Amino acid sequence: RRQVVEVHDDGRDDLWYWTGLLNIDTDEVRWIGHARYDSGRFPAVAMNEQGVVVEVHRSDDALSLWYRVGQFRADGTGVDFGDSHRFDSGILPSIRFIDQNTIREVHQSQNNSQRWFHTGVVDPVTKTIQWGEHDSTTDPFYVRDQSTTQILGTDHSIRVRSRANDDHLHYTVNS
């Protein structure tokens, strides 16, 4: 399906996404849609094979963690997100699908360097997550310093990042 979704904060507590489609012959992404979708800091995103998108972030004014579930539009123009839901306290959330409907989130305590994880089952109809197991972990964060998204239907991945002294986002396609 070659769908790409990227999330970032703009440094002013607004959260934005970009969506696009990958041309695997040229390794170029045709960025199609973008929008502000929430307020907060340090967002992370994961997408499954059906285009279900799960985003996690820290709130803009506290240390609470929030998530949204959405559906990637087939034409690549955006993501139809559901409401934002609080699920824990902490900082630096990261997320991955570990199977088609199950996600695993890893974040750091707001009080020390201890990391914690959650697993949850995503309901794409209600755009909610039924959270299950939650415990401390020594597992590393999923990529936090630059956004890495597996591109659906390919063996390619994409890294989206900003550069020092540059307000633009840059991407690299890895095949």
Side-chain angles (χ1 to χ4, degrees):
R1 295 176 65 169
R2 304 177 185 139
Q3 300 168 331
V4 179
V5 63
E6 177 276 335
V7 295
H8 65 276
D9 70 66
D10 65 4
R12 296 182 305 270
D13 296 332
D14 288 323
L15 299 176
W16 295 81
Y17 69 75
W18 273 96
T19 56
L21 301 172
L22 171 69
N23 179 328
I24 60 171
D25 296 326
T26 64
D27 281 347
E28 292 182 357
V29 175
R30 181 170 55 103
W31 297 105
I32 300 170
H34 71 281
R36 179 189 177 280
Y37 66 91
D38 209 335
S39 60
R41 305 285 310 273
F42 308 111
V45 69
M47 182 168 47
N48 73 9
E49 290 292 328
Q50 278 72 48
V52 175
V53 176
V54 178
E55 178 274 346
V56 292
H57 64 273
R58 192 194 86 189
S59 66
D60 58 343
D61 60 356
L63 298 175
S64 55
L65 299 177
W66 296 75
Y67 78 87
R68 283 182 181 259
V69 176
Q71 181 64 49
F72 191 98
R73 294 183 202 137
D75 63 3
T77 60
V79 178
D80 295 317
F81 278 115
D83 293 334
S84 191
H85 301 275
R86 186 176 191 267
F87 70 94
D88 204 348
S89 295
I91 60 174
L92 302 175
S94 62
I95 193 161
R96 272 291 143 82
F97 273 94
I98 57 175
D99 69 27
Q100 196 53 43
N101 295 313
T102 306
I103 53 107
R104 188 166 191 271
E105 181 273 339
V106 176
H107 67 273
Q108 183 176 315
S109 168
Q110 69 274 20
N111 298 317
N112 53 48
S113 62
Q114 176 64 56
R115 287 186 299 276
W116 295 86
F117 79 90
H118 287 273
T119 56
V121 177
V122 178
D123 183 333
V125 175
T126 62
K127 296 184 178 175
T128 58
I129 298 172
Q130 181 64 47
W131 294 104
E133 188 178 11
H134 171 235
D135 205 348
S136 60
T137 185
T138 58
D139 292 351
F141 293 111
Y142 301 115
V143 175
R144 285 283 335 143
D145 58 342
Q146 48 190 330
S147 178
T148 301
T149 302
Q150 187 67 35
I151 300 169
L152 299 183
T154 74
D155 292 330
H156 292 62
S157 64
I158 187 170
R159 290 183 179 270
V160 179
R161 68 207 176 283
S162 60
R163 295 182 182 151
N165 302 318
D166 185 347
D167 290 335
H168 297 91
L169 293 175
H170 303 269
Y171 73 91
T172 304
V173 176
N174 303 308
S175 49

